[in-house]
Each structure stands twice: as C-alpha cells, then as structure tokens.
C-alpha cells in the first residue's frame, strides 16, 4: 500500500487517478481547491479517500505536511489564452509549492505535464527533457515546460508524465467533462463551422482517459524504478486532423464540413475565429510522440485510437446531449 497525495483531484484526470488508486488498495489524500467532489470518469463519487482543501499557489499548498510516499501533481491551469502571470502562478510557482510539500512529506514526485511541451516541433518527439530553444505555440505550453524545469531541478526523486489531448474512454467514449477540443466537434455538428481548416499531413494526438489514468497509477507504483524518467501518455496512433470533420460527416443528422487548407480558410464568425486562435497551430503540424519508455516501464500499450474510437466519442457526446440530438 502506498500513501499518495493527488493534487487537482476534482479534475478529470485527478479524479480518475484517485478512483484507480483506491481500487488498488492505496491510501489516497485528494487535494481540492473549491469543488469538494472527487469523481471518477464514470461520474461516481470516489469513496475511501481523505479529501483536503488547499491551493497550489500557496506555500506548501496551504497544508501541514503529512508523510506520503508519492505526490501525483495533476493540478494545472489549462487555459491556452490565460495571461502569463496566471499560468506562471499555477503551472510554475504552483509546481514549486507542490515540490516543497513533497519534500516536507518525504515523498517522490510524479508530475503531470503535457506532450505538447514539444512546442512547434514536428516529426518524432522523444521522451526526453524539452530541448533548449524550443518554440512554443501558446503560453500554456511554455508554462508547462517551465514547470518541468522546476521539477528536474528539485533534487527530489521525480518522474514526468506527458499526456497528449485527453478524450473519452477507449471502450465507451465516456468522458465526465468535455475538454475544449470537443468544442470543435460541437461547432461543426451545429453548423457553425462549415469549412474546417487542416493541413494535408496534420495530426492530433488524442489519448483515452483510461490509458492516461492507468499509466499514472502504474508509474506511481514504480517510482523507484522510473525516477528521472520522462514518459509520453499518448494515443496508439496519431489521428489526422481532417478525421475530426470526417467523423462529424458520418453522423446522419450532422452537416458535412468541407476540409480546406489553413491558408485558404476564412473564419465564419467569432466562434470559428476563437477556434482557429486556440487550435490553429495544431491544425498544421504532425508531431509523432514516442512512448517506448512508458511501455518498457509499465508494460502498458494504448488501445486503438482509430476511426471507430472517434465514432464512440461522438456517439457518447450525442447521448449526453453535448452534441445535437437527431431531429424528432
């Protein structure tokens, strides 16, 4: 049994990680800020845990340190467009506060970053520290890369886990909270975006929540063996960006968005403008994230992230009422 403190425990990843840790017999302390409910991806409250209120922007996260074996640091500011000072307060200074707590608690440190600290990198992206001189496409990426540097310089036994774009369960498509990328599906399904920009070879790396949570638990249970490692928690295969529009087009009651090259795209309104402002750099690149280090360390392989999975994600969004229902 491990004693594990999970920050960001009310979030999508943190909640599912807490549920899986408890199921494996570990003693879990769940750090929340405002929302006291810790729920797994199935939406059920996680029981058998200790919920504490804290704030990663405060020294020691506002807690009196309790002995822990591992701190899993999931808490993060996820808004690409947030002011730099806000992102730094949570993703960099907040990471330092979590490290200081882990040191006082005698814990190893498992840091949840993002695969997209690769910035504008294309081609094969290795499971190594972010190269000096990397050009980031938004302030969020830059803040997460800076957070990794804080972890690496901490002197604690650490591992860095880098999920890509986290979506629904591999088998069912279920997701407790729809992340920002799902708004792209929503805009196309509602006919607000009828022309979708995508470079010919551009890909998204989309990963099911169950693979991410299973990998984080597996790394937490192997912290002595994986110390100092960087691990990509990514899809089995990258998905062509154009496949997002194709997935919408396969639903009978949705429109059929036309795919155009980014240089030929003219936004159709403020919502489409916001979509391009947020995701524009991701519509033109083809990073391919190596995950051999994760597979060697844990034996885990991501389930297929293919067209059938995308169809399950869209079907779940319709069933939940997030995407438009068929006309009566």
């Amino acid at each position: 049994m491990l004693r594990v403190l999970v920050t960001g425990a009310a979030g999508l990843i943190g909640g599912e990680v807490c549920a899986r840790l408890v199921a494996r017999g570990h003693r879990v302390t769940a750090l929340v800020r405002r929302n006291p409910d810790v729920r797994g991806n199935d939406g059920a409250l996680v029981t058998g845990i200790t919920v504490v209120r804290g704030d990663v922007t405060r020294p020691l996260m506002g807690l009196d340190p309790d002995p822990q074996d591992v701190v899993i640091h999931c808490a993060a500011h996820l808004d690409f467009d947030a002011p730099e000072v806000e992102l730094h307060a949570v993703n960099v200074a907040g990471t330092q506060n979590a490290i200081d707590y882990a040191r006082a608690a005698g814990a190893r440190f498992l840091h949840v970053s993002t695969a997209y600290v690769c910035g504008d990198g294309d081609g094969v992206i290795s499971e190594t520290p972010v190269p000096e001189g990397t050009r980031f496409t938004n302030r969020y990426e830059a803040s997460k890369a800076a957070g990794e540097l804080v972890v690496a310089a901490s002197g604690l036994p650490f591992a860095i886990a880098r999920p890509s774009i986290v979506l629904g369960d591999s088998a069912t498509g279920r997701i407790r909270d729809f992340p920002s990328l799902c708004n792209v599906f929503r805009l196309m399904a509602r006919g607000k975006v009828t022309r979708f920009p995508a470079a010919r070879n551009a890909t998204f790396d989309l990963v099911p929540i169950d693979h991410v949570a299973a990998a984080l638990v597996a790394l937490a249970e192997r912290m002595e063996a994986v110390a100092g490692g960087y691990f990509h928690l990514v899809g089995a295969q990258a998905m062509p960006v154009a496949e997002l529009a194709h997935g919408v087009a396969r639903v009978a009651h949705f429109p059929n968005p036309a795919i155009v090259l980014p240089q030929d795209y003219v936004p159709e309104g403020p919502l489409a403008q916001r979509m391009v402002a947020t995701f524009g750099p991701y519509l033109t690149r083809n990073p391919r994230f190596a995950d051999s280090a994760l597979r060697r360390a844990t034996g885990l392989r991501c389930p297929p992230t293919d067209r059938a999975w995308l169809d399950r994600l869209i079907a779940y969004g319709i069933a939940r009422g997030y995407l438009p229902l068929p006309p009566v």
Side-chain angles (χ1 to χ4, degrees):
M1 182 193 74
L2 293 174
R3 299 164 298 177
V4 185
L5 182 137
V6 179
T7 73
L12 176 66
I13 295 175
E16 181 64 11
V17 167
C18 287
R20 289 171 180 253
L21 286 167
V22 168
R24 290 183 61 80
H26 301 302
R27 194 187 82 182
V28 177
T29 300
L31 176 70
V32 302
R33 187 163 64 109
R34 292 195 185 96
N35 180 7
D37 292 342
V38 177
R39 297 180 182 273
N41 188 53
D42 62 1
L45 279 172
V46 181
T47 59
I49 63 175
T50 301
V51 178
V52 297
R53 290 185 182 270
D55 186 338
V56 298
T57 65
R58 296 175 59 192
L60 296 177
M61 305 187 295
L63 303 178
D64 293 324
D66 238 357
Q68 303 290 342
D69 297 306
V70 183
V71 169
I72 305 179
H73 185 43
C74 298
H77 196 319
L78 303 176
D79 188 349
F80 291 2
D81 303 324
E84 185 174 354
V85 65
E86 294 180 12
L87 287 162
H88 185 276
V90 177
N91 295 349
V92 186
T95 297
Q96 182 63 61
N97 291 333
I99 287 167
D100 292 342
Y101 177 92
R103 182 179 290 110
R108 298 179 172 90
F109 197 78
L110 177 54
H111 181 61
V112 182
S113 183
T114 171
Y116 284 92
V117 290
C118 67
D120 65 0
D122 254 341
V124 177
I125 309 297
S126 60
E127 293 167 284
T128 56
V130 178
E132 188 174 344
T134 295
R135 295 177 300 178
F136 304 105
T137 68
N138 54 56
R139 291 187 290 269
Y140 166 73
E141 292 175 355
S143 72
K144 293 299 283 184
E148 288 193 9
L149 290 176
V150 168
V151 174
S154 68
L156 288 181
F158 75 89
I160 291 176
R162 294 172 173 164
S164 55
I165 300 169
V166 181
L167 292 180
D169 183 86
S170 59
T172 65
R174 176 193 290 272
I175 192 163
R176 195 189 79 205
D177 301 311
F178 292 96
S180 59
L181 180 64
C182 293
N183 287 328
V184 175
F185 292 106
R186 204 176 198 180
L187 289 171
M188 289 189 286
R190 294 170 60 199
K192 302 294 185 181
V193 169
T194 63
R195 301 168 73 243
F196 183 67
R200 288 188 178 89
N201 69 337
T203 59
F204 276 124
D205 197 288
L206 311 177
V207 61
I209 177 67
D210 49 305
H211 178 61
V212 171
L216 288 171
V217 171
L219 290 170
E221 292 176 337
R222 296 164 171 80
M223 282 298 291
E224 186 172 354
V226 304
Y230 294 73
F231 303 94
H232 284 154
L233 283 50
V234 295
Q237 58 272 335
M239 183 170 290
V241 169
E243 191 58 40
L244 303 188
H246 295 322
V248 168
R250 287 194 294 274
V251 179
H253 66 281
F254 287 175
N256 186 356
I259 299 167
V260 299
L261 294 175
Q263 61 266 30
D264 298 330
Y265 179 68
V266 178
E268 302 162 82
L271 293 176
Q273 288 176 339
R274 178 65 185 271
M275 178 190 77
V276 172
T278 301
F279 294 107
Y282 300 89
L283 306 177
T284 60
R285 295 179 292 134
N286 182 23
R288 299 187 298 280
F289 297 102
D291 69 344
S292 57
L294 178 76
R295 288 188 275 113
R296 284 195 304 270
T298 67
L300 294 173
R301 290 180 177 269
C302 184
T305 47
D306 53 10
R307 176 177 291 189
W309 176 56
L310 182 63
D311 289 345
R312 291 193 290 275
L313 297 175
I314 293 173
Y316 180 76
I318 296 170
R320 275 278 301 272
Y322 178 83
L323 298 175
L325 295 165
V328 178

